[in-house]
Amino acid sequence: MIIRKRLAAVLSGALLVTVTGGVLPSTAAFADSGGAAGRATAKEPPKVELVLDVSGSMRARDIDGQSRMSAAKQAFNEVLDAVPEDVRLGIRTLGADYPGKDRKEGCKDTRQLYPVGELDRTEAKTAVATLVPTGWTPIGPALLGAADDLEGGAATRRIVLITDGEDTCAPLDPCEVAREIAAKGVGITIDTLGLVPNAKMRAQLMCIAEATGGTYSSVQHKEELSERVGQLVDRAAEPVVTPVATQGGERCEDAPRLKAGLYADRETFGQHLWYRVDLLPGQELRASVSIAADRPVNRDHGVLLRASTLAGREIVRGESAGDGRTDVVSTGLRYPKADTDDDTDDSGAAGTGDGRPAAETVCLRVSNSFSAPASVSTSPGLPLELTIDITGGPRDAGDAAFLGLGHGWWLLGLLTLAGFAAGALWGWISRWRIAVWRSN
């Protein structure tokens, strides 16, 4: 019986090697993987700054029978109690200190009430409790101050603006300020909440939010304010993909060389920007681009994404048009690079000398046909988001297939033969066991 068990174990082992092609993961590979995990760096805590309007209009008593200021304070207390431990939170005010009528002084009235950092809930609540509706509504200066408060590091950063009125400090247009913040590529998102908004205030707050990829919400009740602010603070703690800031070139030769990932840029009206991507044989490029109209634009506009070789030959293109009914126009393309065995690829690039074609440089050109009314500023450019995805790869780039046959029909044929061999072997073992049992 012992001999039969050992023989069965040996034959089973042979069968396993036959089916898997003798490829087993090495302990060195597992050790190396574990070492890489151990070397992973901790994620930097996200940062949020709440910007609260404390201007004189916050005295109005039209939120569930309370003043707007009282409702905001209660909402802040509830939000502060629920802030996730890993969020670094700060508070900035606007219009909280200067009660006079000097516009120049009133438009400087913004300060950081509580610094961005680890939250002391009692201290933050005490600071909020001292606020009294006082002065002007300098939204633009407050946003600039909040952006400075969040400077430094690579953490997720959000500004949450709560106000009950439009800015009173033009010509420093808060919408233009938001565009300038976005154009810096520092990754700050601005969310806006309007307390009992009118049409003009709603338009301004929506413009601020859209300029940075944020959201706008209208708030009529205290519970809505608490819930919405809490959601925005929690969102900062959620893992998100932050676009990498890049700057397209005027020609392909001057363009940045991009790998798979998400990228952010700015493109002026009617401009062409170039980017480069390197593809190995057998890889497929998938690219998409979105351009957002973060300000009023004329109807009938479009976006073109064009892939070409270094020599200028067009490979493939994607295009899309809009008619003013949407704020974002997007398009995409895909280009599979042939897995050939020649010494030159389809762009004329020389091979590596051992029968394998070299990497091909694909030039991506992003163009837009946006235009704006004469009264609208064209600077900075429109926000652009470019996604690059590269799939597949050459046959010799780390494949673990048995004898290099793990591709398409070769692999299917190998597995079929292995199945027949396994069935025949198992049938022989079964007949042998029955014969031995009968002989005993």
Side-chain angles (χ1 to χ4, degrees), residues 35 45 60 92 105 187 190 201 230 233 264 315 332 340 364 372 381 399 432:
R92 173 172 283 272
E105 289 300 318
I190 303 175
M201 182 178 87
V233 172
I315 302 171
T340 64
L364 291 177
D399 280 352
W432 175 78

Side-chain angles (χ1 to χ4, degrees), residues 4-40:
R4 290 202 301 270
K5 289 182 179 178
R6 287 180 177 174
L7 180 56
V10 171
L11 292 174
S12 297
L15 175 61
L16 177 62
V17 171
T18 301
V19 174
T20 61
V23 180
L24 294 175
S26 67
T27 54
F30 283 111
D32 192 50
S33 174
R39 290 190 298 270

Side-chain angles (χ1 to χ4, degrees), residues 4-132:
R4 290 202 301 270
K5 289 182 179 178
R6 287 180 177 174
L7 180 56
V10 171
L11 292 174
S12 297
L15 175 61
L16 177 62
V17 171
T18 301
V19 174
T20 61
V23 180
L24 294 175
S26 67
T27 54
F30 283 111
D32 192 50
S33 174
R39 290 190 298 270
T41 56
K43 181 182 177 183
E44 190 174 340
K47 298 178 181 179
V48 180
E49 179 138 277
L50 305 178
V51 179
L52 179 60
D53 182 351
V54 195
S55 60
S57 58
M58 290 289 282
R59 298 190 189 97
R61 303 181 65 86
D62 52 6
I63 296 186
D64 300 330
Q66 296 179 294
S67 71
R68 299 173 183 177
M69 192 73 249
S70 296
K73 286 182 178 180
Q74 291 183 32
F76 265 51
N77 285 339
E78 294 174 13
V79 169
L80 291 173
D81 282 333
V83 172
E85 292 295 333
D86 58 342
V87 171
R88 302 293 177 259
L89 185 133
I91 303 172
R92 173 172 283 272
T93 62
L94 61 94
D97 300 311
Y98 179 70
K101 297 183 179 181
D102 186 329
R103 182 177 179 278
K104 185 176 180 180
E105 289 300 318
C107 289
K108 296 178 183 178
D109 187 6
T110 177
R111 64 183 171 92
Q112 191 174 42
L113 182 71
Y114 187 85
V116 178
E118 292 189 26
L119 182 63
D120 183 322
R121 303 176 198 277
T122 302
E123 185 177 339
K125 288 180 181 180
T126 301
V128 171
T130 63
L131 298 175
V132 177

Side-chain angles (χ1 to χ4, degrees), residues 6-339:
R6 287 180 177 174
L7 180 56
V10 171
L11 292 174
S12 297
L15 175 61
L16 177 62
V17 171
T18 301
V19 174
T20 61
V23 180
L24 294 175
S26 67
T27 54
F30 283 111
D32 192 50
S33 174
R39 290 190 298 270
T41 56
K43 181 182 177 183
E44 190 174 340
K47 298 178 181 179
V48 180
E49 179 138 277
L50 305 178
V51 179
L52 179 60
D53 182 351
V54 195
S55 60
S57 58
M58 290 289 282
R59 298 190 189 97
R61 303 181 65 86
D62 52 6
I63 296 186
D64 300 330
Q66 296 179 294
S67 71
R68 299 173 183 177
M69 192 73 249
S70 296
K73 286 182 178 180
Q74 291 183 32
F76 265 51
N77 285 339
E78 294 174 13
V79 169
L80 291 173
D81 282 333
V83 172
E85 292 295 333
D86 58 342
V87 171
R88 302 293 177 259
L89 185 133
I91 303 172
R92 173 172 283 272
T93 62
L94 61 94
D97 300 311
Y98 179 70
K101 297 183 179 181
D102 186 329
R103 182 177 179 278
K104 185 176 180 180
E105 289 300 318
C107 289
K108 296 178 183 178
D109 187 6
T110 177
R111 64 183 171 92
Q112 191 174 42
L113 182 71
Y114 187 85
V116 178
E118 292 189 26
L119 182 63
D120 183 322
R121 303 176 198 277
T122 302
E123 185 177 339
K125 288 180 181 180
T126 301
V128 171
T130 63
L131 298 175
V132 177
T134 302
W136 296 63
T137 312
I139 294 177
L143 293 178
L144 289 173
D148 289 341
D149 297 339
L150 295 172
E151 250 186 353
T156 300
R157 287 170 285 181
R158 301 189 87 92
I159 296 171
V160 181
L161 170 66
I162 303 102
T163 180
D164 72 333
E166 61 193 86
D167 181 86
T168 56
C169 292
L172 187 59
D173 184 347
C175 194
E176 293 295 333
V177 169
R179 291 178 188 143
E180 291 291 344
I181 291 173
K184 292 178 180 178
V186 293
I188 294 178
T189 301
I190 303 175
D191 298 298
T192 58
L193 285 82
L195 303 182
V196 196
N198 56 39
K200 192 172 182 180
M201 182 178 87
R202 183 183 298 109
Q204 186 175 80
L205 294 182
M206 289 178 66
C207 181
I208 293 170
E210 290 170 357
T212 62
T215 60
Y216 163 75
S217 300
S218 172
V219 176
Q220 304 282 346
H221 303 283
K222 182 180 71 67
E223 290 75 14
E224 293 175 344
L225 180 59
S226 302
E227 181 179 358
R228 188 60 181 146
V229 176
Q231 288 174 349
L232 294 173
V233 172
D234 289 342
R235 182 178 296 174
E238 296 173 357
V240 296
V241 178
T242 302
V244 176
T246 188
Q247 186 170 359
E250 296 297 323
R251 304 176 305 163
C252 185
E253 293 80 0
D254 307 323
R257 197 177 297 274
L258 304 182
K259 298 181 179 180
L262 182 64
Y263 299 90
D265 201 351
R266 286 265 170 175
E267 186 172 66
T268 59
F269 290 79
Q271 187 182 16
H272 307 292
L273 288 179
W274 292 85
Y275 309 88
R276 288 185 293 175
V277 180
D278 290 333
L279 287 187
L280 294 173
Q283 290 186 328
E284 179 175 284
L285 168 65
R286 300 175 185 178
S288 62
V289 65
S290 298
I291 296 182
D294 62 350
R295 69 206 72 176
V297 297
N298 294 325
R299 296 174 64 89
D300 301 323
H301 43 260
V303 173
L304 170 66
L305 178 61
R306 177 176 178 265
S308 63
T309 65
L310 279 172
R313 177 178 63 84
E314 181 174 300
I315 302 171
V316 65
R317 65 165 60 190
E319 52 191 326
S320 181
D323 60 2
R325 295 185 179 183
T326 178
D327 295 326
V328 178
V329 181
S330 304
T331 190
L333 57 82
R334 60 188 291 267
Y335 167 52
K337 178 167 172 52
D339 191 359

